[in-house]
Amino acid sequence: MSDSCHGRPAPDGTGAWRDLVALLLLTGLALGLGLGSRSPWWPAESGVALAGSEMLGIGQWRIPQLGGQPTGQPILPVWLSAFAQQMFGSVRAGFLVPTFAAALATMALVWDFARRLSGREAALAAGLLLLITLQFGAAARNGAPDMLLCLFTTLTLYGLLRHLLFGPARGWFLAGSAAAGIGMLAHPMGYLGLLTLVPWAAGRMRGWPACRPEPTPWAAAAAMFLVIAAVPLLLALTTGITGDQAPEGLVARIRGTSGWPEGPGFLLFWWLPLTALAIWLWPRWREALTDGDVRILLLGGWLILAGLVLAFGTDGRSRDFLPLLPAAVLLASPWLPMLSRCRSVRQAALALTFAVPLSVLAFALWPPAFVQAAQTSGEAFPWPFVQWAVLPALGIGILLGPRHPLAAMVLVICGTGVLLSTLGRPTLDDTRSGRDVMALAELTAPAGQALGLLDPDPRFLLTASRPLALAARQADRREEHRAMFAWLADHEGRRLLASGTSAGCFDTHGATLLGSIGLEAWYLLRGGDVLAGCRRGRGTGESIIEWSPTSGGRAAESSARIP
């Protein structure tokens, strides 16, 4: 094997569509196995699933609701979730379908654009790299709206760059602009793809001849209309959500709710193995930019600009950078075939092949806090997943790795993800979905008496089988807590389900510990458990509403007020 890492592959488009079919089949198997095997866990995915379920239950398709109250969530993910639940018959079977479909569409866009950039071999390599990048697989198996934002951002880039790089293609320019407008209905950052016009304009000003063609005035005007039209549409869809009903506003962002670690530093991990290739890619990017390669200018410039917007325009959590991942893969695609033949890259792939199962084993055995938390909460530790993820992966690394390290790395990463979806998460589902805690709360609370939720956690609303008392949404969450504590104290038979994060307001020794979800303990409170300083006074009908589950697990708002 030669250690040469120089040169570029020549484009080759013959028989390329067979590669796309094979790539989509592989993606469907790697990401689709396990659909319907678990319920919503993370707040973002459970919130969207609940809003879609309530939309079906009450027939209100214009204003998303959570717990029977209007919410500022973007409307498109809720529509898609409701449609999937209606099609597949339940929340559990349908809540992951929109993100799975968005992942397949994103894969197809990346493959086709990489083929146009650098040829058939580069397109296949780009698709496989995107598939095995850790954050892409994690987001595709998560019901949060992040993958929808990734899809519409990629579609915007695809449409604009089809015109700016390979044009004229005014139809694609308009399609990309329309994707940005629709993307804003899926996520407030849906406009990100339009930022690619900034490096294009910079290249035009510097006289780069490849920065062509210039959008005609009518095309630019039509594009701006399509984007701006999304704003009044969003306002029309959310009419009536004002003031205290939606304290986060129309541009509310779902932050820190997708279930993966926080902070931009985790991007180095979540974008493996792409980030490991930066050592070999950086000098080639720099050389190409010096030579006037407009691909590097537009894609690289957009990545830097969009990354700055996400880093300083949000709380900087690693999940927010998912929309940048397809463009980063495209930026690397011209050199992927050449790097796949580089000995040092293949050695790094072999090391990563062994690192994945060893990391799973270390995570299962080393952190005592994790094992202790699982035992405390009554979780069934997913040993079948650990065994099946570690032993076969090590076998693949030993038998296949030395001769075909890249194939071994793809098999190990995709196989670990499949096993996590089919063996790991289903083992933890009853606990992580809140089903066990809610069932125990309903069993422990006196029959015929009201049960309340201190915080309207969507997981509990999805798994409840009896009416629940919730606080009317207010701008200050502390006021909601005081209202619920006052409601609890008004009647001896009432019970309140509360998280340990609010333990400063109640006596944990007197309260009934129901269990834990992860590291968070949940308690069932009586009126005497609440500390006097946390009560606002007597509960009123204007403070507390009743939420009732309906048949089929779908929820609807009840206009009745609990005195």
Side-chain angles (χ1 to χ4, degrees):
M1 177 61 63
S2 171
D3 195 31
S4 174
C5 297
H6 300 284
R8 289 185 190 172
D12 177 13
T14 58
W17 293 103
R18 289 194 297 268
D19 293 347
L20 176 60
V21 173
L23 184 62
L24 290 180
L25 287 175
L26 177 61
T27 304
L29 288 174
L31 303 180
L33 291 177
L35 290 179
S37 63
R38 70 174 181 94
S39 301
W41 288 6
W42 319 116
E45 65 179 9
S46 57
V48 172
L50 176 63
S53 181
E54 293 196 21
M55 185 172 282
L56 290 173
I58 65 177
Q60 165 58 276
W61 292 85
R62 190 165 58 96
I63 303 175
Q65 299 194 20
L66 279 178
Q69 302 179 77
T71 178
Q73 280 194 349
I75 188 69
L76 185 58
V78 180
W79 278 342
L80 294 176
S81 179
F83 177 75
Q85 292 176 36
Q86 179 72 27
M87 176 178 292
F88 291 94
S90 69
V91 173
R92 185 186 181 105
F95 82 99
L96 287 176
V97 172
T99 54
F100 173 70
L104 290 178
T106 302
M107 177 65 70
L109 290 172
V110 168
W111 176 88
D112 186 60
F113 199 80
R115 181 179 64 89
R116 296 174 187 275
L117 277 178
S118 309
R120 175 184 178 182
E121 190 179 4
L124 184 59
L128 290 174
L129 178 60
L130 180 64
L131 175 61
I132 64 176
T133 301
L134 300 183
Q135 193 180 16
F136 184 79
R141 299 182 181 96
N142 192 296
D146 301 342
M147 185 54 74
L148 291 174
L149 173 62
C150 183
L151 169 62
F152 285 107
T153 301
T154 306
L155 183 55
T156 302
L157 286 172
Y158 183 90
L160 296 184
L161 294 181
R162 279 288 299 266
H163 179 67
L164 300 177
L165 282 178
F166 310 117
R170 296 183 180 90
W172 279 111
F173 185 82
L174 293 177
S177 304
I182 299 173
M184 292 181 67
L185 300 179
H187 196 284
M189 306 299 288
Y191 63 86
L192 276 177
L194 295 176
L195 297 178
T196 192
L197 295 175
V198 176
W200 173 85
R204 291 282 297 186
M205 293 175 62
R206 295 188 60 179
W208 286 35
C211 286
R212 59 166 181 84
E214 184 172 1
T216 58
W218 72 266
M224 291 304 298
F225 172 78
L226 289 171
V227 175
I228 295 173
V231 176
L233 178 59
L234 185 63
L235 291 173
L237 290 169
T238 53
T239 300
I241 306 178
T242 57
D244 292 342
Q245 288 183 320
E248 297 84 7
L250 295 178
V251 293
R253 298 171 185 165
I254 304 173
R255 297 177 174 171
T257 53
S258 295
W260 43 66
E262 305 170 4
F266 281 96
L267 207 62
L268 296 175
F269 168 76
W270 280 115
W271 279 21
L272 281 172
L274 175 60
T275 48
L277 292 175
I279 301 173
W280 294 273
L281 289 169
W282 174 254
R284 290 160 179 81
W285 287 336
R286 185 175 56 188
E287 179 183 357
L289 189 61
T290 303
D291 294 341
D293 192 332
V294 72
R295 300 173 300 181
I296 306 302
L297 172 68
L298 295 184
L299 288 172
W302 179 81
L303 280 170
I304 294 173
L305 188 59
L308 291 174
V309 170
L310 289 173
F312 294 100
T314 69
D315 54 5
R317 298 177 191 266
S318 61
R319 70 179 189 86
D320 288 330
F321 293 93
L322 176 67
L324 278 60
L325 178 58
V329 171
L330 289 172
L331 189 63
S333 62
W335 296 273
L336 291 179
M338 174 267 299
L339 289 179
S340 68
R341 294 182 282 269
C342 179
R343 179 182 300 171
S344 53
V345 172
R346 295 167 69 87
Q347 291 172 346
L350 181 60
L352 186 59
T353 301
F354 285 102
V356 171
L358 293 178
S359 298
V360 172
L361 184 62
F363 179 76
L365 299 178
W366 178 71
F370 179 80
V371 178
Q372 183 178 1
Q375 294 173 348
T376 302
S377 62
E379 287 185 344
F381 193 81
W383 283 116
F385 159 68
V386 174
Q387 294 168 357
W388 282 102
V390 172
L391 297 179
L394 291 176
I396 291 173
I398 294 172
L399 298 177
L400 187 62
R403 298 188 60 183
H404 305 284
L406 297 176
M409 180 179 64
V410 171
L411 286 176
V412 166
I413 292 179
C414 291
T416 302
V418 169
L419 291 172
L420 177 63
S421 297
T422 56
L423 293 179
R425 287 181 170 175
T427 304
L428 304 174
D429 186 57
D430 286 342
T431 302
R432 294 298 178 91
S433 66
R435 189 178 299 109
D436 283 351
V437 170
M438 175 52 71
L440 187 57
E442 293 178 339
L443 182 64
T444 307
Q449 297 294 331
L451 176 63
L453 282 180
L454 183 60
D455 292 298
D457 192 313
R459 293 172 296 183
F460 296 133
L461 296 177
L462 285 169
T463 56
S465 61
R466 61 186 286 180
L468 299 173
L470 308 174
R473 190 172 294 128
Q474 302 182 43
D476 189 348
R477 181 61 60 84
R478 292 173 297 182
E479 289 299 317
E480 297 179 23
H481 288 183
R482 293 190 184 100
M484 289 305 303
F485 287 139
W487 167 86
L488 176 64
D490 280 347
H491 195 285
E492 179 62 28
R494 291 173 177 171
R495 296 294 184 268
L496 182 65
L497 181 59
S499 166
T501 57
S502 304
C505 278
F506 60 85
D507 180 16
T508 57
H509 298 290
T512 302
L513 176 63
L514 298 177
S516 299
I517 302 178
L519 299 178
E520 188 175 17
W522 289 88
Y523 297 86
L524 191 64
L525 310 183
R526 295 170 296 183
D529 298 326
V530 181
L531 303 180
C534 294
R535 304 175 189 172
R536 186 179 63 183
R538 295 188 60 83
T540 66
E542 297 301 320
S543 311
I544 308 299
I545 66 170
E546 181 184 12
W547 180 93
S548 299
T550 62
S551 61
R554 294 174 183 156
E557 177 187 6
S558 172
S559 59
R561 299 283 176 171
I562 302 177

